[in-house]
Amino acid sequence: MFFRVGKTKQRRQKQDVKSIETSVSTKLAENVEALNQRFASSPDLIIKELQNSSGQKAALVYLENLVDKTAINDQILRPLMIENTAFDPASIPIHKTSTTRAMDQIESSIFIGKSVLLVDGQPWAIIFNTQGWPQRSIKEPQIESTLKGGHQGLVETVGLNIALIRRYLPHRELMLTKTLVGERSQTTVFLLYLRDICQPELVKELENRIDRIKIDALINAGELEEYLEDHWFTVFPQFMQTERPDTIVSQLLQGRIVLIVDNSPVALVGPMNFTSFFQNVDDYSLRWILASFLRFMRFFAFLIAISLPAFYIATISFNYEILPIDLMISIGMSRERVPFPPLLEAFIMEVTIEMIREAGVRLPSPIGQTIGVVGGIVIGQAAVQAGIVSNVMVIVVALTAISSYIIPNYDMASAIRLIRFPLMIIASMFGMVGIAIGMMILSIHIVTTTSLGYPYGSPIAPIRLPDWKDTWYRLPLWKMDKRPISADPRQSMRQGHSRKSGKN
Amino acid sequence: MKRWCHAILVCLSLLTLTGCGDQLYLENADIPLSVGLDMDDEGNIIVVYSSPVFHEEASKKTHFEQSTALSFRQNRKLLNSQSQGNVIAGKIQNLIISKQMLKRINAFPILDVIFRDPKSEINARALVVDGSLEDLQNISMEDKGRLGIAIRDTIDAAHQVSSTVLTRVIDFRGQMLDNRVTPYLTEMRIRGQDYAITGTALLNKDGKYATSLDQNESSLLLLLQHQTEYPLQLPFTAPLQLPFTTPPNMAPSDPTMSQMNVSLTINRYKISSDYAQGRFHFEFQVDLTANLSERTFPFDMKTERRKLEQVIEKQLQQKLERLIAKIQHHRLDPMGLGRVAQAYHYPIWKQVQNNWPETLAKADIRVTPHVTIKSYGITF
């Protein structure tokens, strides 16, 4: 079996070598014939035959819907056909042109929306940058909406995304490295970093990892993450996926690397650590006391979201001594009607709420609201009245769900929602001891995880006290003259010392 | 692959651990809130308990079980066979001990299982009940809720207005094992369909019932014990010699026209002790702040306040000395003066520690209260 795979690989390489050799012929008819063969089943290929006043023939080749038709009509066809301009790249008013002799380059150029002018009697072709494809306008990011931050989100076109970032950082140290990923899709991936802040080894490591990717097509940035990450067996995201240019810029300034993938409205940021998923752009535009409160609340919500159902199960299966007597009686009364053991009861409710959530995500918003109402009534009222779950369980589930949505990052929130299931099982088996063991395993896991070789548990483990200023709480910005050391920036000072306040 | 095999093996072996064994769902447990201890004529232990009923179909909210055996634990086995669920001792709110039983035997050894089993509740309030424990079932709970919680709340409320002491089971254990103090428990009386906290029951060093204190005496005991959590509520009667004027239509001798109530907080509390001529001398020096909460006679507080303070001081001293005399008469030490003796007169304490209450009975104990009225409200 292994032998066969090796053979096909060899054959493919041979084909590649052969195709590189084909070059543009001097006869226009031959070239058009060759292109027709290459684009055998592409009815959207347009071959526009031209002839200038001196009788010289030419053909303009492009894919109908990938080009900017105004540019084709006004900037290319008009000069050539009406004003009788020469078939020469210098005399055609297109902002970027090039020439080539290779048939393959012509083919790939056509595929990405460029138009190619083949001239009879010439062994080269002119390529015009006339790309223009259906494009979405810039919208507010959907899963990372903010109150005070910018309301522009990334779009599917990589060039536009880079423009959005450059607007925030017009600086020469912002480096962009372009690579192509995907044998068929040839997707452009841009690697962005600030040269004077980011560690060069880190950039090299990431470039190497990208080079090692051998896939057919890259459709989304999320796919790239799985090929680049250090650990495959974990629920925690090791890269941050964001669609906010301001988040990207703030991460760049901390010495992190950003990957922007063409056709994908999210960017990857790495290396990340666990606690940075609890930060939000809004934190920095709120009063620092309020932002600190929000930070505390998020960590508290994290604990609730992973352990509250487990705590409930452990309490009513093993350790009811810890419940106040009045609460115990009311839980006992509502539990009495439930025919299932606590674990099953909790699972029914937790799975139901996950299903409602997932159903809501996929549905268009008018129907999505219906799901919310139906789910709320079914779970909140009918299930309790029918004696399938207890009242307290509904409160536990609702609290857990709300807590998990307080986490600002979607991937981290999903991870947290998943962690509670193993904790629930272990709590139903061993009670409080089980929860303690589960928490220990979780801590060990976070501490041993790395992201691009950097410790994921930083700044908690390893302890990096200076970074705590922006972890558990957020101190005033003038206290944070230095960049966080979690991402190991080369340049530690931001820009000198800031004054304490605007006075003096 | 090898790693996965190991992981699966570990999971499978975890499943067989005994940890899963002691699982008991809340609704399947029978959780006594009140546990009563009594003794029958042959000397068997009677255990009565009341626990909440979770069933919707059941018309009563509380159910009672009763059994008779030679020990607490044997009783539990019997009770388990009578109740629908497994009897759990982890949530007991009150441990009710019958006065009849305490008059006959020392109940402390019977409670051994409570302290031996780490899952049982040691914060339950321990109380002595005057009346048959079977009457517990007859208490009308229609306007009270659940028996265990109702009794607990009554005890706490009575303690807050200084009508009784608050002794938890773990405190009772300390009092029994500490030979510097004798035990004191809340006393409750069941009469017909009702119950009430009557004061404090004092036990002697052998753990048997000695005497009872009424509610006012209980307040005084709390004062001597330096209990500062809640103000002490005490009534006083104004003597006729006081320079006050009565309304003309009321005879000055009318007792309802000479009442006052104060709530006292302890500012300074000091016990000075001495040992001379073969006996101990103790003196309580207590500075108290009084808030006048009720006064049914007219009085000029602005000019004559000190006189009223002196009346209170004098009556307080008399009441306290009467209480101390009662305690000494019954050979008790609920104030814990043994601690003072041990701390300041250790060589003598070493000799007398085994019959400390006897020694204390011969001691000379004095109290000098000093009262300052801080607030007296609207005056007329």
Side-chain angles (χ1 to χ4, degrees):
Chain A
M1 191 189 162
F2 286 111
F3 179 65
R4 215 183 294 156
V5 171
K7 231 178 172 181
T8 45
K9 202 181 260 177
Q10 271 182 357
R11 205 182 299 146
R12 199 197 297 155
Q13 278 170 353
K14 256 184 205 163
Q15 274 181 352
D16 290 350
V17 171
K18 208 165 75 187
S19 60
I20 284 167
E21 285 161 3
T22 30
S23 56
V24 180
S25 150
T26 45
K27 286 182 182 132
L28 178 64
E30 274 179 25
N31 288 333
V32 169
E33 181 58 27
L35 277 179
N36 264 326
Q37 269 179 12
R38 282 177 187 249
F39 292 86
S41 57
S42 301
D44 53 344
L45 184 79
I46 307 277
I47 302 176
K48 174 84 180 167
E49 307 253 356
L50 314 164
Q51 195 169 13
N52 67 357
S53 52
S54 56
Q56 197 180 18
K57 281 186 177 174
L60 186 69
V61 188
Y62 54 88
L63 283 170
E64 192 180 357
N65 296 311
L66 276 177
V67 292
D68 181 359
K69 289 199 188 85
T70 332
I72 296 271
N73 291 340
D74 292 355
Q75 262 82 40
I76 301 174
L77 293 179
R78 192 183 171 86
L80 292 180
M81 294 174 80
I82 297 166
E83 294 157 16
N84 282 324
T85 320
F87 297 137
D88 174 26
S91 53
I92 292 170
I94 284 285
H95 67 100
K96 197 176 168 189
T97 55
S98 58
T99 55
T100 181
R101 291 168 187 276
M103 221 46 190
D104 280 323
Q105 203 190 336
I106 293 174
E107 183 189 339
S108 60
S109 302
I110 291 171
F111 269 128
I112 59 173
K114 294 176 179 176
S115 50
V116 175
L117 186 71
L118 291 157
V119 185
D120 193 26
Q122 304 290 353
W124 38 259
I126 310 166
I127 298 171
F128 303 109
N129 277 28
T130 50
Q131 296 105 314
W133 46 78
Q135 192 167 295
R136 185 170 63 102
S137 62
I138 292 173
K139 289 230 178 76
E140 166 126 34
Q142 285 250 312
I143 54 170
E144 289 174 276
S145 53
T146 64
L147 299 172
K148 294 182 171 181
H151 294 283
Q152 290 184 322
L154 299 189
V155 289
E156 285 79 359
T157 311
V158 68
L160 211 54
N161 293 343
I162 286 167
L164 284 172
I165 294 164
R166 277 211 198 271
R167 290 252 300 127
Y168 282 95
L169 267 184
H171 197 263
R172 64 168 180 274
E173 296 292 350
L174 176 63
M175 295 289 130
L176 287 95
T177 323
K178 183 180 165 183
T179 38
L180 294 177
V181 175
E183 300 290 325
R184 280 182 202 278
S185 68
Q186 293 290 309
T187 311
T188 319
V189 173
F190 272 100
L191 206 94
L192 273 73
Y193 57 95
L194 285 162
R195 192 170 57 181
D196 54 346
I197 301 175
C198 190
Q199 290 289 349
E201 297 83 30
L202 186 62
V203 180
K204 196 162 282 170
E205 169 67 27
L206 196 55
E207 278 172 345
N208 282 341
R209 287 191 192 189
I210 295 173
D211 283 344
R212 284 203 296 268
I213 299 174
K214 292 277 173 282
I215 46 169
D216 237 11
L218 182 66
I219 294 168
N220 243 320
E223 292 173 16
L224 196 60
E225 183 181 350
E226 291 210 351
Y227 288 102
L228 296 178
E229 65 194 6
D230 298 15
H231 304 268
W232 64 276
F233 195 73
T234 174
V235 289
F236 292 117
Q238 292 154 58
F239 285 83
M240 181 160 78
Q241 295 189 19
T242 180
E243 43 182 334
R244 302 192 55 82
D246 43 5
T247 306
I248 290 172
V249 170
S250 103
Q251 299 292 354
L252 281 174
L253 287 169
Q254 294 178 26
R256 297 204 162 99
I257 303 179
V258 174
L259 288 168
I260 296 183
V261 180
D262 199 11
N263 292 326
S264 172
V266 294
L268 292 185
V269 185
M272 293 306 284
N273 45 21
F274 179 70
T275 53
S276 46
F277 289 96
F278 291 79
Q279 298 168 345
N280 188 6
V281 219
D282 269 348
D283 291 355
Y284 303 95
S285 43
L286 290 172
R287 306 282 313 146
W288 69 273
I289 300 173
L290 186 61
S292 301
F293 168 68
L294 290 177
R295 288 274 170 87
F296 277 124
M297 207 170 64
R298 280 177 204 145
F299 285 104
F300 179 67
F302 164 71
L303 279 183
I304 296 253
I306 61 170
S307 65
L308 190 65
F311 191 75
Y312 171 78
I313 292 172
T315 315
I316 64 169
S317 311
F318 293 95
N319 311 87
Y320 10 79
E321 286 84 6
I322 61 170
L323 285 174
I325 182 73
D326 305 286
L327 180 63
M328 197 199 76
I329 288 174
S330 77
I331 291 180
M333 305 239 324
S334 70
R335 271 289 301 161
E336 180 60 44
R337 303 182 62 225
V338 181
F340 308 115
L343 177 68
L344 199 57
E345 182 198 9
F347 252 97
I348 290 172
M349 284 302 286
E350 294 288 356
V351 169
T352 312
I353 204 145
E354 286 299 303
M355 287 199 290
I356 289 174
R357 187 193 60 80
E358 192 62 21
V361 169
R362 305 277 165 258
L363 284 174
S365 52
I367 314 176
Q369 284 176 355
T370 324
I371 287 288
V373 173
V374 170
I377 291 169
V378 166
I379 290 177
Q381 281 283 303
V384 173
Q385 278 177 4
I388 292 172
V389 292
S390 64
N391 284 321
V392 186
M393 190 65 229
V394 174
I395 298 170
V396 166
V397 168
L399 212 59
T400 314
I402 291 169
S403 299
S404 73
Y405 290 118
I406 290 177
I407 314 297
N409 185 281
Y410 177 79
D411 295 304
M412 183 52 88
S414 311
I416 286 166
R417 277 203 295 276
L418 206 61
I419 293 170
R420 68 172 181 254
F421 290 105
L423 265 184
M424 273 155 61
I425 294 172
I426 201 168
S428 81
M429 282 160 66
F430 308 111
M432 287 296 164
V433 181
I435 295 181
I437 290 169
M439 291 294 207
M440 272 188 239
I441 292 173
L442 188 67
S443 317
I444 292 168
H445 176 68
I446 291 175
V447 166
T448 50
T449 304
T450 54
S451 165
L452 290 176
Y454 283 69
Y456 196 59
S458 166
I460 304 165
I463 294 181
R464 283 161 177 170
L465 286 176
D467 282 12
W468 285 23
K469 285 187 287 207
D470 196 15
T471 303
W472 305 107
Y473 37 84
R474 181 183 81 75
L475 290 189
L477 287 173
W478 47 262
K479 283 255 185 204
M480 296 189 246
D481 281 335
K482 290 184 177 165
R483 299 179 206 278
I485 50 181
S486 286
D488 193 19
R490 280 162 77 190
Q491 186 193 58
S492 74
M493 283 302 285
R494 279 192 158 120
Q495 294 299 329
H497 292 287
S498 304
R499 278 175 310 174
K500 193 171 172 181
S501 67
K503 275 197 279 184
N504 305 323
Chain B
M1 201 57 207
K2 208 175 164 191
R3 238 171 97 186
W4 281 105
C5 281
H6 283 175
I8 292 167
L9 266 177
V10 167
C11 286
L12 285 178
S13 50
L14 275 178
L15 280 173
T16 60
L17 273 185
T18 46
C20 319
D22 65 340
Q23 193 178 46
L24 175 66
Y25 301 143
L26 178 64
E27 65 274 14
N28 297 338
D30 196 10
I31 303 157
L33 299 184
S34 281
V35 173
L37 282 179
D38 205 345
M39 186 173 245
D40 69 3
D41 297 335
E42 284 107 54
N44 291 318
I45 310 292
I46 305 173
V47 174
V48 184
Y49 78 80
S50 83
S51 64
V53 180
F54 296 142
H55 280 285
E56 250 190 0
E57 284 88 358
S59 60
K60 274 187 166 179
K61 281 207 278 181
T62 307
H63 91 274
F64 288 88
E65 293 291 346
Q66 184 174 352
S67 70
T68 310
L70 281 170
S71 79
F72 213 145
R73 199 71 182 188
Q74 287 173 22
N75 267 307
R76 176 152 156 192
K77 200 171 174 185
L78 291 175
L79 291 167
N80 256 330
S81 62
Q82 294 168 12
S83 71
Q84 297 107 320
N86 210 332
V87 179
I88 301 294
K91 271 299 178 191
I92 299 174
Q93 300 296 302
N94 327 292
L95 182 72
I96 304 167
I97 307 169
S98 136
K99 199 185 214 175
Q100 276 68 36
M101 181 186 185
L102 281 175
K103 279 178 179 164
R104 285 167 65 187
I105 59 152
N106 177 3
F108 183 62
I110 299 169
L111 302 179
D112 175 82
V113 65
I114 291 184
F115 305 113
R116 203 168 293 283
D117 182 355
K119 280 206 154 188
S120 46
E121 176 68 280
I122 49 171
N123 280 323
R125 281 100 175 119
L127 64 153
V128 174
V129 73
D130 187 8
S132 161
L133 279 184
E134 272 143 38
D135 291 345
L136 270 179
Q137 298 190 44
N138 302 331
I139 294 174
S140 154
M141 294 311 297
E142 278 153 18
D143 54 348
K144 294 187 190 70
R146 292 175 197 278
L147 182 68
I149 295 169
I151 293 179
R152 179 201 69 187
D153 291 347
T154 314
I155 295 173
D156 289 356
H159 178 61
Q160 281 181 24
V161 294
S162 71
S163 294
T164 183
V165 292
L166 182 70
T167 304
R168 294 167 191 271
V169 173
I170 187 70
D171 301 331
F172 178 54
R173 177 176 180 272
Q175 294 163 11
M176 283 302 297
L177 297 178
D178 188 349
N179 54 9
R180 300 167 298 180
V181 68
T182 58
Y184 44 92
L185 303 173
T186 304
E187 187 169 354
M188 191 175 86
R189 184 188 60 200
I190 302 178
R191 187 154 295 171
Q193 293 198 322
D194 234 327
Y195 68 88
I197 304 294
T198 51
T200 304
L202 299 181
L203 271 54
N204 62 23
K205 206 58 238 173
D206 303 331
K208 288 188 183 172
Y209 174 81
T211 186
S212 292
L213 305 182
D214 67 14
Q215 295 192 6
N216 288 336
E217 285 172 328
S218 297
S219 303
L220 297 168
L221 177 64
L222 289 171
L223 194 159
L224 291 178
Q225 287 176 341
H226 194 193
Q227 186 275 118
T228 48
E229 204 178 344
Y230 303 107
L232 308 162
Q233 316 279 349
L234 276 173
F236 294 95
T237 311
L240 298 173
Q241 294 92 320
L242 265 178
F244 65 81
T245 51
T246 38
N249 57 346
M250 281 286 183
S253 59
D254 191 338
T256 60
M257 292 309 291
S258 55
Q259 293 302 313
M260 58 183 160
N261 250 292
V262 290
S263 71
L264 298 166
T265 46
I266 301 172
N267 272 345
R268 185 172 151 271
Y269 174 90
K270 189 171 179 255
I271 305 172
S272 45
S273 62
D274 189 20
Y275 184 77
Q277 292 141 17
R279 64 196 288 229
F280 275 97
H281 298 268
F282 294 100
E283 188 176 2
F284 288 86
Q285 289 161 322
V286 197
D287 278 8
L288 299 151
T289 301
N291 285 331
L292 198 64
S293 49
E294 189 184 34
R295 167 165 60 78
T296 56
F297 52 89
F299 185 79
D300 186 5
M301 286 303 290
K302 280 192 179 127
T303 53
E304 312 276 0
R305 172 165 21 169
R306 186 65 206 139
K307 280 185 184 154
L308 204 63
E309 287 171 354
Q310 280 164 350
V311 167
I312 295 173
E313 276 167 14
K314 199 177 159 201
Q315 289 188 18
L316 195 58
Q317 191 176 20
Q318 284 170 359
K319 286 177 176 179
L320 285 168
E321 278 170 359
R322 216 176 298 141
L323 173 68
I324 289 167
K326 184 174 177 181
I327 288 170
Q328 282 178 313
H329 171 73
H330 285 99
R331 306 286 186 268
L332 303 170
D333 181 15
M335 301 90 75
L337 282 175
R339 298 196 187 103
V340 181
Q342 188 199 32
Y344 295 102
H345 310 281
Y346 190 65
I348 303 153
W349 164 257
K350 279 301 264 186
Q351 296 163 20
V352 301
Q353 60 174 345
N354 290 326
N355 57 346
W356 170 246
E358 283 293 333
T359 317
L360 188 72
K362 287 180 218 136
D364 169 36
I365 307 173
R366 283 191 207 146
V367 189
T368 45
H370 179 80
V371 176
T372 319
I373 296 178
K374 272 274 152 68
S375 106
Y376 43 85
I378 301 162
T379 128
F380 65 90

